[in-house]
Amino acid sequence: LGDIRNIIGRIYRPTFAFANNKKSFGWFYESRLHPNCPAVALRYLGIMYLYGWGTSLDVKKAEEAFKEACDKGDELAGAARIR
């Protein structure tokens, strides 16, 4: 289920034709709750928190999401981490 939620979240993300930030955030957030959440979903969730897309801007939650993505092997999330 984590993969499915990730795919749906990516469809609605800001850079896609069907952009809907709130829907995209909701799907990435739901994906995070699943034990097999893909690292890329956590990276996108971090980006959404960082820019306040579909949710309130929250740098601390963005950093947590980026760290989780890094822990799952997402190298791009490591580059996005806040220093």
Side-chain angles (χ1 to χ4, degrees):
L1 287 177
D3 287 333
I4 294 169
R5 291 181 179 115
N6 173 47
I7 291 167
I8 294 171
R10 292 173 79 175
I11 289 171
Y12 289 115
R13 76 179 191 258
T15 57
F16 200 76
F18 303 109
N20 182 319
N21 292 340
K22 287 188 182 210
K23 282 186 180 182
S24 183
F25 175 81
W27 284 108
F28 289 133
Y29 185 84
E30 288 291 321
S31 182
R32 182 184 199 177
L33 300 176
H34 193 273
N36 295 324
C37 177
V40 68
L42 295 166
R43 177 174 19 111
Y44 285 130
L45 183 65
I47 291 168
M48 297 194 84
Y49 274 126
L50 185 62
Y51 292 103
W53 293 339
T55 188
S56 300
L57 185 140
D58 192 324
V59 175
K60 184 178 178 183
K61 288 183 180 178
E63 178 67 18
E64 291 170 4
F66 290 141
K67 182 180 181 327
E68 285 182 52
C70 284
D71 291 347
K72 289 189 170 221
D74 189 326
E75 294 176 6
L76 292 176
R81 288 189 69 190
I82 301 142
R83 309 233 188 276

